[in-house]
Amino acid sequence: MLNPGMEGELCVDISIVVSACFGIVSLLLSGKKSVVAAFLSLVLLGVAWGGHSSTRESVGNIRATIGNDVVFVQFKAALVERFKQPDTSDIDLLDKFQNAIEPPRFRAMAEMIQSIGNDVVVPCSGTVTIFIDGEGGEFSVGDVVKGVGWLRGLEEPHNPGEVDFRVRSFRTDHGGNISVAGNLEIVEKSTEVNHFYSMFRRRVCDWVDKNLLNSIANIAPAKIQTLIVAMTTGRELTGYRGLRQNFSTSGLSHFLAISGFNLAILFGAVWVCMEFLHFPWLIRGWFLMTTAFVFLFVVDVETSVLRAGIAGILVGVSVACDRGWRADGMLAVAAIFTLCCDPWAAWNPGFQLSYGAVLALRYGSEPILNLLSIPWKLFPRLSNFIPSSITKSLLTAFSASIAAWLVSTPITESHFGSVSVWAAVASTILAPLAAVITVLASIACLLGGVPLISVVLGYPLAFFSIIFLWLVDCVAILPAVNIRGGLVPWWWSVIELISLAGCWISGVLLIRRICIYLFMFLFAAAMFFPASVVAASPIGWKLRMTTISVGDGSAHVIETPNTCVLFDAGTISRRAGGSQLVVPALKAIGCTKFDAVIISHPHLDHFSALPEIAKAFTIDRIFASELFLQSTNEQSAPVALIENLKNYKLKIEPLVAGNTLNFGGFIWRVLHPKVGYQSRIVNDGSLVFQISPKEIPLGGVGVHTDPCWLTLCGDSQTEAIANILASPYFSPSMVMELPHHGAWTDGVSELVAGLNSCTFIQSTGFRRFSFDRIGSLIQNRVRGVTCRDGALRVTWFETVINERVTHQILLERWAGVDWVEVNCHTYPK
């Protein structure tokens, strides 16, 4: 019965907090009082879930109203989070040469959205992302603003390998993106009174971060500072993304994430201090609860942190009340409260890994320890060489690491398609170092502002952190450190986990043996699971071109059954387009190496992703125009690319009109530009290709008796088009890439008429496409547009029908999960 809106969200939050209090009270009381408290806790959880449902329903109403279309709306919203500027280490090499769009400024809680021209007001308590032009310095978190803008719902992924944000948006109540038109009006300015909690927390967190950084600022290098802050508070400094990749490669990313490990170390340190001071049980319990609350207040909370915090609070309550506790019960209560706050957390890999690792420590450590202790039982004299106390400690730590690794591996196989072979051994070695770093960094958070203490803490903290990172880097270069394959189905991982649980829990020998054999089989078979690659074209195809949707830019992959060539690869529509968009898409369509990469001309939207592609794939040769190689400005993007490619022993080779390349039985003939060509406009220097099967006969001056299969035009404009039409090698073409992203220029109509293509491919962004003029010229023919249709795939087949050879051209678009047919055209030979 809660009304959607800010007040409804507040009631949901309050209900959850009060429910948690009643739940704790029910554990402390006994008899009827305990039952009543538990009942009230469940009732409040029901109220909270009802409010949460109303929130999701309002988001659904917004999606039902706007769909995938853009709608002009009036809105009123409270700004709840300011987006951080991108980390300089989180951009691609050539991003510094472009003016890519800035990230959205604010995430906001919408209170009212109303379509212009529509009297129906759609209330919403979900979040929207607001794009604000300019610096936005006059706005701050907590402001209530109103204005007008364009509201767009989240669409299906435009490319293979692209994350589907629609699922995440539903889980986080995200209703869409609003691009503000005009100026925003501040209805209510944020004050410390009406946003006391958020401002107080921000000040405390700033104070903690300042103390921590003060203790290591002049001692540790920037990378070590990023490591220490990430392991202590979970906040991300410059270079975090690269650090995260290093840890992920080693299979040790759990050390970089804030988890129950951190809280357990803090609890241990606090308990030792209280034991030394002989505090009574009541005070010990309150100290433990305070430690857990402060920990949750200061760090950036994730699922694993929430689980540890709830369990820690329950431990403190039990100690304060001088009552015992059960580990299983605490884990269950933590899981229940986590899922009540966010039921979608069950699908979160962090939730599964966190609770799975704890259950592994609870039930798997002892069976594995018994197994590892067998050599000492068979050969008692081993104790004479290694003291039993040291042996037991090492074996206990190692068995815990193996148990956690065995449980986490099926989960990582299902979510990430990877197996970290050395993770168990490395975790055993690194855990003591991580514990020391956690304790020293936590003390520095409190006392780092004191000059002498900051120096005393800073040097050992930096020393241990440097050793820790060095060991992680050593693990990363070990053979088979991270075996990657395909994502196993969820039911595969569930069977693995059930069989593993049977090995540890079952008291029947036969069941244990069956379970262990089943687990070993599934575990080994998962290593050979096929890589997750989107479905290829049907059997019998001769040539295939996949055009990635990159916004304002171009990226075309042209394949034969045994070759792969990349024609252009760049975008200026976003930062990190190479590493976060182009490379994942290339991997998803099955690319492993490129026989050649061709750059049409020296504009950034055609080669910005090449440094990241060269890093991720093997490239045999790279070609470009003479104009590209004539760049002499050391501060220019082409020169930066040329220097970067030297790291991979790659050299750019020039191409001119008349040159030919042979890939998989297809001839790539250059139509333009000629040797020494100079143009007033850089676009007119674009390389232009016509691709034909090798066996096509040539007429007197090189004119094909049959049309070529594909024409690639780059960014050709008026002068280049005139030269193309005048080329002695020019011939009609079955498929054509529209020049200059489909922009209108003199000569385009003549080029379209001369090529007489049946299918047109246009790689462009929404802004250019909104001024589409070429559509009327080809309105009766098939055209694929990346910003409208997503990634495109054209496949050529050659078949024999009634003793006559025909060409069949299939155009498909990426529909979020698979390729969907757009058109199939038969072209008689």
Side-chain angles (χ1 to χ4, degrees), residues 477-492:
I477 62 176
L478 292 174
V481 63
N482 201 352
I483 302 174
R484 291 191 174 273
L487 300 179
V488 301
W490 65 268
W491 51 264
W492 186 293

Side-chain angles (χ1 to χ4, degrees), residues 267-286:
F267 266 33
V270 171
W271 188 267
V272 168
C273 294
M274 292 186 296
E275 187 72 23
F276 178 77
L277 297 173
H278 302 289
F279 281 172
W281 289 103
L282 179 62
I283 296 179
R284 295 186 186 194
W286 279 106

